[in-house]
Amino acid sequence: MLSAALVSLALVSGAFARAIKPRAVCADGTTVSNAACCAFIPVRDDLINDIFEGTCGENAHSTVRIAFHDAIGWSDFSDKGGGADGSMIAFGDIELAFEANAGIDEIVEDLQPFALAHGISFGDVIQFGSSVALSLCPGAPLVQTFVGRANATEPAVDGTVPDPFNPVDMILARMLDAGFQPEEVIALLASHTIAAQDEIEPAIERSPFDSTPALFDNQVFLEVLLQGTAFPGNGSHEGEVESPLPGEFRLQSDRDLARDPRTACTWQSFALDHDTMAQKFSAAMTKLSLLGQFQDQLVDCTEIIPQAPPSSRSQAFFPAGKTFDDLELTACDNAFPTTLLTQEGTTTSVARVPPQ
Ligand code: HEM
């Protein structure tokens, strides 16, 4: 009887010991759950100061973009690459030549020497870097962030990154092949609220996808729903229907996903609910960052990622001169309200994202 009690006590205390994680105190005095996270504190600080220059600007945006392009080199069904493994940097001579990766070379030029100098893997600098980048964008959620990826052993194959001129069918099929449902694709596209283009129309480089590219608000979901106008430039895509806001660039894929029956209701719901958008984005980003990785072999260092400040805008608004009547809506279970406010003043051109 006594020995049975001792055995069960030992079992209980064993389970208890496992439940209490070992804690470590880092050189700067921060207490962390796993000592491996201490090495990432200076990595975090140097990313913020040296690469992102303390802002949700071009380099922070590009780091979130490379987090996608690197990780999506993955398939649940066939060998398309190692997922979130840093192959975009390790095999940059191959992957940076893929058309869909145009422009990624610039952030690779920053992150490659940075990772080598800090002794961390390319997969970690990309995915940890993306979470740190988001922490500079007001309104962004905290993303559960793991470190400890090994360096890539093979490049991803060409064609894993969706192209903005692909039909919706093709984009959704590619994303499903990597494990993402249509709702998760739209959640990931919240990233386009901190985004601009350089490569599709180089003449208007750094033209943003919404009017507030330094905020992780839900403005992109509303503005892409506005009825478009003919593309004003003389580039190769002349004649396409584009953003009606001067200076703003609309991707064909965003426009189509916002109107496709499979995705339009999720898209519209995010235009109305920043918090749900941010929470679903966060979950999808963690999933993305673990493609090709075994979570139990990595270390969760989320506790050293700063929480982004709240956005000054909690609700999407119509840019000056636009109203509910300018929206192209799909009929969904939740009717789109007519109550969103219009920004005061007259229409002004959306400013380009400053270069870094
Ligand atoms: C559905 C598929 C997607 C397509 C077709 C697409 C396409 C594009 C294109 C064409 C650009 C402009 C690149 C340039 O010209 O410089 C861009 C920018 C960007 N994309 Fe996507 N994207 C997709 C999904 C995603 C996802 C899932 C993420 C992140 C989770 C993401 C994050 C970004 C960011 C942050 C930028 C801005 C980069 C910068 O301003 O430097 N995109 N995307």
Side-chain angles (χ1 to χ4, degrees):
M1 192 68 175
L2 182 63
S3 62
L6 281 174
V7 168
S8 64
L9 185 64
L11 284 174
V12 169
S13 63
F16 189 60
R18 275 195 301 281
I20 295 183
K21 296 177 184 162
R23 297 192 68 80
V25 180
C26 307
D28 72 341
T30 307
T31 303
V32 290
S33 303
N34 190 309
C37 297
C38 288
F40 281 80
I41 290 176
V43 172
R44 172 197 69 196
D45 296 344
D46 291 350
L47 278 167
I48 291 174
N49 295 323
D50 301 342
I51 306 288
F52 306 139
E53 298 170 11
T55 67
C56 179
E58 189 181 26
N59 288 347
H61 301 176
S62 300
T63 303
V64 176
R65 181 177 178 224
I66 194 178
F68 173 53
H69 286 229
D70 186 47
I72 205 65
W74 173 259
S75 166
D76 284 347
F77 306 99
S78 59
D79 182 20
K80 288 194 165 70
D85 62 356
S87 63
M88 185 71 65
I89 298 179
F91 295 94
D93 52 336
I94 297 171
E95 293 192 32
L96 293 174
F98 300 161
E99 198 178 332
N101 292 334
I104 299 265
D105 55 322
E106 287 185 29
I107 196 65
V108 167
E109 271 174 34
D110 289 331
L111 295 182
Q112 182 165 30
F114 182 94
L116 293 172
H118 286 79
I120 61 171
S121 70
F122 296 140
D124 281 352
V125 81
I126 290 174
Q127 299 301 330
F128 181 83
S130 167
S131 296
V132 174
L134 286 163
S135 77
L136 294 169
C137 302
L142 194 59
V143 174
Q144 190 181 15
T145 302
F146 295 87
V147 300
R149 294 169 187 78
N151 264 332
T153 54
E154 58 167 0
V157 301
D158 198 2
T160 62
V161 180
D163 181 283
F165 300 103
N166 287 160
V168 168
D169 278 357
M170 201 179 197
I171 293 175
L172 294 182
R174 171 73 274 272
M175 295 300 287
L176 197 59
D177 178 57
F180 292 90
Q181 296 296 323
E183 297 75 28
E184 295 176 300
V185 176
I186 304 306
L188 286 171
L189 283 170
S191 56
H192 282 180
T193 190
I194 49 162
Q197 74 84 37
D198 289 335
E199 303 292 334
I200 304 176
E201 289 294 339
I204 48 170
E205 61 178 1
R206 301 190 315 282
S207 41
F209 299 162
D210 76 355
S211 58
T212 55
L215 296 181
F216 200 93
D217 54 13
N218 50 351
Q219 217 36 45
V220 72
F221 286 110
L222 185 65
E223 292 177 14
V224 172
L225 287 171
L226 292 170
Q227 194 174 21
T229 55
F231 185 74
N234 293 319
S236 51
H237 307 294
E238 190 181 4
E240 280 170 14
V241 176
E242 295 298 348
S243 170
L245 304 179
E248 180 171 290
F249 195 91
R250 180 178 293 176
L251 292 177
Q252 183 175 302
S253 47
D254 285 352
R255 183 195 67 199
D256 293 349
L257 285 159
R259 289 156 179 78
D260 188 278
R262 290 161 288 186
T263 45
C265 292
T266 306
W267 188 285
Q268 288 179 192
S269 73
F270 289 160
L272 297 168
D273 185 348
H274 169 272
D275 291 353
T276 302
M277 173 203 82
Q279 182 243 313
K280 303 260 182 194
F281 168 77
S282 173
M285 282 304 282
T286 299
K287 180 170 170 177
L288 188 72
S289 76
L290 292 173
L291 290 183
Q293 301 290 326
F294 295 105
Q295 184 179 325
D296 58 0
Q297 291 173 13
L298 302 179
V299 176
D300 186 337
C301 289
T302 313
E303 62 193 337
I304 64 162
I305 306 289
Q307 170 72 60
S311 168
S312 49
R313 302 250 183 201
S314 57
Q315 188 128 58
F317 57 91
F318 291 109
K322 299 291 174 194
T323 68
F324 177 85
D325 293 336
D326 296 303
L327 293 175
E328 288 178 339
L329 293 173
T330 299
C332 299
D333 286 347
N334 293 327
F336 206 92
T338 54
T339 48
L340 294 186
L341 300 176
T342 295
Q343 195 175 27
E344 286 177 13
T346 48
T347 311
T348 49
S349 188
V350 176
R352 295 193 192 182
V353 174
Q356 278 189 314

